[in-house]
Amino acid sequence: MSRILIVEDERKIARFLELELLHEGYEVDTAGDGRTGLEKALSWKPDLMILDLMLPELSGIEVCRRLRHESDLPIIMLTAKDDVSDKVMGLDMGADDYMTKPFAIEELLARIRVGLKKHRTVQQQAASSVLTAGELTLDPASYAVTWAGKPVALTKKEFDLLRYLMQHKGQAVTRDALLSDVWGYDYAGDTNVVDVYIRYLRHKIDEPFGVKTIHTIRAVGYMFSYE
Ligand code: CA
């Protein structure tokens, strides 16, 4: 079930959208200002966001701009009036689509389906594309990892962890993010499991080849960085 976040300060519109989307079978959450919207977009991890432009706390444009540093979440902007400069700015800031209020709900629903489908396709392509860093190659399709062409044997969890780190190359990732995205957010075990698996990976990827690909970022977590 896809999750949709509605960021809209006009209560009547937000409520109307919420009911329509629930009726369509989506999981829905709402935020009445830009700051809360941005927080929920990052913590709740929706599959698509409907974002009003004129918002208290943070404008829709600002939410878009900040979100794009961390997420490729599809965004459909709502503009109150037919303001071309707002739309252009929103699209420049990384919104995927926009609708002018008042809008026909059927059209918005159609655009939501398009946005979700496009996003899934991009994610599937990203999930199956070969990742490389220097001599290191990871192929998700065949579950193969090689160093300078020689196979490196990893367990499934080690492989998933390395893939996640390589997909976020150059970005510090927190232990919490690793736990929820690699182990699944219903994982109920010890958070030290992340450190243990990082050690396993270093033992198999870094130590045998005398390199440092997985870096400890103090008070944050880890970062994969190697060219
Ligand atoms: Ca508004």
Side-chain angles (χ1 to χ4, degrees):
M1 194 188 336
S2 296
R3 295 174 160 197
I4 299 181
L5 176 63
I6 301 164
V7 188
E8 165 66 87
D9 59 322
E10 283 169 72
R11 286 221 177 155
K12 270 167 78 177
I13 296 180
R15 184 69 186 141
F16 166 70
L17 283 175
E18 187 180 12
L19 290 174
E20 288 287 339
L21 293 177
L22 286 171
H23 181 71
E24 292 294 313
Y26 295 112
E27 223 179 304
V28 183
D29 200 358
T30 59
D33 66 80
R35 194 169 300 282
T36 312
L38 182 62
E39 281 167 14
K40 285 193 176 179
L42 294 171
S43 60
W44 189 52
K45 299 201 167 104
D47 300 297
L48 184 140
M49 176 161 73
I50 297 170
L51 177 66
D52 186 32
L53 269 193
M54 302 283 276
L55 290 168
E57 303 287 333
L58 275 183
S59 74
I61 297 285
E62 192 56 24
V63 172
C64 228
R65 195 182 68 79
R66 294 194 193 182
L67 192 64
R68 278 294 173 255
H69 289 298
E70 311 198 33
S71 163
D72 58 356
L73 169 70
I75 299 171
I76 299 177
M77 288 187 320
L78 299 179
T79 59
K81 51 191 180 314
D82 203 6
D83 188 328
V84 176
S85 66
D86 274 358
K87 276 183 213 163
V88 169
M89 203 189 289
L91 293 171
D92 278 350
M93 286 301 158
D96 300 270
D97 202 354
Y98 64 83
M99 291 210 69
T100 306
K101 289 193 256 184
F103 51 81
I105 187 68
E106 287 306 329
E107 188 181 353
L108 179 62
L109 292 174
R111 289 185 186 215
I112 288 172
R113 287 192 292 271
V114 170
L116 288 172
K117 196 173 164 201
K118 215 189 304 176
H119 192 56
R120 267 197 298 273
T121 309
V122 170
Q123 281 184 324
Q124 278 160 3
Q125 283 165 353
S128 63
S129 61
V130 174
L131 300 165
T132 60
E135 301 287 282
L136 183 65
T137 301
L138 180 146
D139 183 357
S142 59
Y143 267 94
V145 174
T146 58
W147 184 277
K150 295 191 194 78
V152 178
L154 297 184
T155 65
K156 169 80 165 61
K157 197 56 80 184
E158 290 164 354
F159 181 91
D160 291 343
L161 178 59
L162 181 62
R163 175 169 62 180
Y164 187 87
L165 288 168
M166 289 181 78
Q167 280 170 339
H168 296 82
K169 190 156 76 172
Q171 297 170 27
V173 289
T174 63
R175 286 180 181 78
D176 284 346
L178 288 168
L179 264 186
S180 71
D181 293 348
V182 178
W183 274 263
Y185 50 85
D186 51 354
Y187 176 80
D190 194 339
T191 58
N192 286 336
V193 71
V194 172
D195 305 299
V196 171
Y197 272 83
I198 291 285
R199 263 206 310 279
Y200 292 162
L201 270 185
R202 282 175 169 158
H203 188 61
K204 291 181 174 179
I205 302 290
D206 286 1
E207 288 162 25
F209 308 107
V211 293
K212 197 168 168 63
T213 63
I214 301 166
H215 305 261
T216 303
I217 309 295
R218 273 191 62 172
V220 179
Y222 296 100
M223 181 172 80
F224 183 95
S225 172
Y226 186 72
E227 293 307 327

